[in-house]
Amino acid sequence: NELLKVEGVQAEEKAVRYVAKAGDGSMRDALSLLDQCIAFYLGQTLTYDKVLDVLGAVDTEVFSRLLRKIIKGDVTGAINILEELITGGRELNQFVSDFTWYLRNLLLVKTSENPEEAIDVSSENMKLLQEESEMIKVETLMRYIRVFSDLSNQIRYETQKRVLVEIALIKLCRPAME
């Protein structure tokens, strides 16, 4: 916070806490993330939502679209979104772990009294999660998380990563195939 005063940057406490957490224990990483956020919103107050925007919480929108295809059982739609992520240069191990985290957040929204405290998402994305939590049963969500956790163990040393991810998505869309 001293640094922010020196730089003359206004920032919400929650925003600064999130950046520190994103730095994952490294002061240098946290400072470099903070620099990115400041550069992005030069001269503006650094809010929690803005920080989430810069630091990649934008994935929520893609994951939301993907989940809605899965809930509908739309295999082609789900595979197309995966294609979009791969074309955008998305690394599949990272995708698997991020989507698993997204499902975990959704589970918390569904089962916890005040999910806002346990989950770092912008208010806009919290709305999406709340909508989705109404569309899905806890058991189904647990199954999704199980399938993706298994996938994340398998995918590490696999050469055909994409095929494995596609199979997992098909399993989610077609419960009978498990």
Side-chain angles (χ1 to χ4, degrees), residues 4-45:
L4 293 174
K5 284 198 194 83
V6 175
E7 301 271 346
V9 175
Q10 296 290 309
E12 288 178 0
E13 180 66 34
K14 196 175 179 190
V16 176
R17 271 209 314 271
Y18 181 73
V19 173
K21 201 166 104 183
D24 207 28
S26 155
M27 185 64 158
R28 209 178 57 221
D29 290 355
L31 288 173
S32 117
L33 292 173
L34 189 60
D35 275 343
Q36 281 175 38
C37 295
I38 293 170
F40 217 83
Y41 289 106
L42 216 50
Q44 301 178 37
T45 298

Side-chain angles (χ1 to χ4, degrees), residues 13 25 39 44-45 59 68 78 81 86 93 96 98 105 111-112 117 124 128 132 143 149 155-156 163 168 173-174:
E13 180 66 34
Q44 301 178 37
T45 298
D59 285 344
R68 287 164 194 242
I81 292 177
I86 293 169
N93 294 17
V96 170
D98 291 350
N105 284 349
T111 55
S112 131
E117 288 169 19
E124 210 173 303
L128 288 175
E132 281 153 14
R143 186 177 72 81
S149 296
I155 200 170
R156 263 181 228 133
V163 177
C173 292
R174 303 266 184 274

Side-chain angles (χ1 to χ4, degrees), residues 64-78 81 173:
S64 173
R65 281 181 19 234
L66 179 59
L67 183 71
R68 287 164 194 242
K69 300 283 185 205
I70 291 167
I71 291 171
K72 281 194 204 121
D74 176 356
V75 173
T76 312
I81 292 177
C173 292

Side-chain angles (χ1 to χ4, degrees), residues 12 14-15 34 63 67-68 84 106 131 146 152 160 176:
E12 288 178 0
K14 196 175 179 190
L34 189 60
F63 292 159
L67 183 71
R68 287 164 194 242
E84 195 183 299
L106 190 54
E131 274 171 29
R146 198 180 56 246
S152 101
Q160 300 291 325

Side-chain angles (χ1 to χ4, degrees), residues 55 96 99 103 139 169:
L55 300 185
V96 170
F99 190 61
L103 295 171
E139 302 74 52
L169 289 174

